[in-house]
Amino acid sequence: MSVAPVVAAVQDHVALAEIELCGELIIAASAVPEGRLSADRIDEVLRVAEALPGGSDGKDRT
């Protein structure tokens, strides 16, 4: 019987990025007195505008 080798430093970079974004959402949500984040605030926390074409604010400039 053989035992599979132990890999000490396996990292899933996508999963780590998702965990970081979830943490940022939790922190942002805890700072909102009314208890809910607006869609605009969620986009801001998740940096959606940075990923969209057309500029840093996400608005299409055509």
Side-chain angles (χ1 to χ4, degrees), residues 7-62:
V7 179
V10 174
Q11 291 186 0
D12 183 338
H13 296 287
V14 174
L16 291 173
E18 289 178 358
I19 291 166
E20 181 178 343
L21 290 173
C22 287
E24 291 178 19
L25 279 173
I26 291 167
I27 291 167
S30 68
V32 176
E34 54 276 357
R36 294 193 93 163
L37 292 174
S38 68
D40 288 338
R41 180 65 179 129
I42 291 170
D43 287 349
E44 182 182 335
V45 171
L46 297 178
R47 299 181 293 270
V48 171
E50 295 173 15
L52 295 175
S56 61
D57 64 358
K59 294 187 174 30
D60 189 13
R61 305 257 192 261
T62 58

